[in-house]
Amino acid sequence: MNKFLLKALVLASVSVATFADAQFRTRNRMDNLEDFDQQKFSWGFFLNGNRLDYRIVLHPRYGMNGNQNLVTSKESYSFGAGLITKFRLNDYLDVRVEPGLQFAQRQLIFNTQSNDIYQNGNPQNPPFVPIALTEKDRVRDIKSTLVDVPVLLELHGERWYNSRPYIAAGVNYIVNLQSNSDSADDNQQQVFRSTTHNFAWSAEMGIQFYFNKFKLTPAIRGTFFMNNEMVADNASTPPYWSAAVSTLQTRAVMFVLKFE
């Protein structure tokens, strides 16, 4: 369903862009919404499809076996929606706040049974009792509900008939409502824990199309977490899971349709 939604959003934007090009390139056509961008404040909403995965930095001892990566991630597709608030600075700069709700499900695979060789410990790491990892132990399906609040500075060009290109960049504050960060259980009990409060940076580009009643903006946005999301397992847990990962950070590429 998520892949279908993403494809539908992409096809919709291509259709709109093709129609818009045919409609807007007529030189005698009147400009739509001529005073819309002169407003100090404006509002709208957006829909988006996402492609998400993790950037993983592995622990050199527990996350690697020679040149083999013991922890891998599987990308996923998801969707989201949110609201738009625009504050006009001047003819070329706007500040946008676009709070949204993003739904995601990703997968991490821990092929870390080979860490049994470290069971006797060393001066830096305590000994542990090995366990036989089952499929349920090796695979973590990670569901996330993200409250994403990006603040973007938008730089746009002059209107060309009824369209206008732009680029934007900014920072995000993101709350993971399904982080399990306060859970006493950890991966040994099949509970994956990550940070609740996160920070990211985003970059975006798109084209704004002006119709008689509204403005439509198809855009591509990349969002990249800056903090480490991994919450360490309990001290008594064998080093099959969080100990194998030094840094875990979400990466997302979004296709966005904005309506204002």
Side-chain angles (χ1 to χ4, degrees):
M1 176 61 72
N2 291 337
K3 289 186 178 180
F4 175 79
L5 178 61
L6 181 62
K7 291 178 180 178
L9 287 172
V10 172
L11 288 173
S13 69
V14 171
S15 299
V16 169
T18 302
F19 170 78
D21 178 68
Q23 293 295 316
F24 300 161
R25 63 190 176 190
T26 304
R27 292 185 178 275
N28 295 327
R29 179 169 293 278
M30 293 178 59
D31 285 341
N32 296 324
L33 302 176
E34 290 186 80
D35 298 325
F36 184 87
D37 293 320
Q38 300 306 311
Q39 301 175 88
K40 200 68 175 175
F41 293 94
S42 63
W43 295 268
F45 69 94
F46 68 87
L47 304 172
N48 67 275
N50 302 327
R51 175 187 173 276
L52 296 102
D53 65 357
Y54 283 117
R55 172 184 176 268
I56 305 175
V57 178
L58 297 175
H59 189 280
R61 176 185 294 270
Y62 298 126
M64 302 287 295
N65 185 9
N67 293 324
Q68 180 186 4
N69 294 340
L70 300 183
V71 184
T72 56
S73 68
K74 184 178 179 181
E75 67 185 30
S76 67
Y77 296 87
S78 67
F79 64 95
L83 302 175
I84 299 169
T85 301
K86 186 201 77 174
F87 175 71
R88 180 179 183 273
L89 297 179
N90 56 44
D91 289 341
Y92 299 98
L93 290 173
D94 296 329
V95 174
R96 289 180 173 267
V97 182
E98 300 185 356
L101 197 61
Q102 308 294 334
F103 302 94
Q105 180 170 335
R106 286 156 291 176
Q107 190 176 85
L108 287 175
I109 299 98
F110 294 86
N111 295 308
T112 50
Q113 190 72 71
S114 60
N115 286 341
D116 290 349
I117 62 175
Y118 303 116
Q119 61 182 292
N120 295 324
N122 57 44
Q124 290 77 38
N125 301 284
F128 63 90
V129 178
I131 61 175
L133 297 179
T134 65
E135 185 68 14
K136 184 179 291 187
D137 292 322
R138 286 193 292 267
V139 178
R140 291 287 176 267
D141 290 313
I142 304 164
K143 296 182 179 180
S144 303
T145 301
L146 306 174
V147 179
D148 181 15
V149 185
V151 180
L152 303 171
L153 180 65
E154 176 188 304
L155 172 66
H156 48 73
E158 298 280 358
R159 282 183 60 160
W160 184 75
Y161 305 124
N162 285 308
S163 65
R164 185 173 70 170
Y166 76 94
I167 57 174
V171 294
N172 308 53
Y173 171 59
I174 301 173
V175 179
N176 185 353
L177 301 180
Q178 295 179 279
S179 67
N180 296 319
S181 60
D182 296 328
S183 174
D185 293 332
D186 64 7
N187 279 291
Q188 194 162 13
Q189 292 79 39
Q190 285 80 47
V191 176
F192 183 85
R193 301 186 297 190
S194 60
T195 55
T196 301
H197 304 281
N198 304 280
F199 295 92
W201 65 273
S202 292
E204 178 179 306
M205 63 184 300
I207 301 177
Q208 301 165 345
F209 295 109
Y210 297 81
F211 293 85
N212 289 329
K213 300 296 185 181
F214 65 95
K215 181 168 71 172
L216 173 65
T217 305
I220 298 293
R221 177 188 300 173
T223 298
F224 308 92
F225 278 43
M226 295 185 288
N227 60 283
N228 184 7
E229 297 176 70
M230 178 64 74
V231 172
D233 288 333
N234 299 328
S236 59
T237 297
Y240 298 120
W241 298 285
S242 70
V245 179
S246 295
T247 304
L248 187 73
Q249 296 172 310
T250 293
R251 302 181 296 188
V253 177
M254 306 180 182
F255 176 75
V256 189
L257 281 179
K258 304 181 184 183
F259 301 84
E260 298 176 72

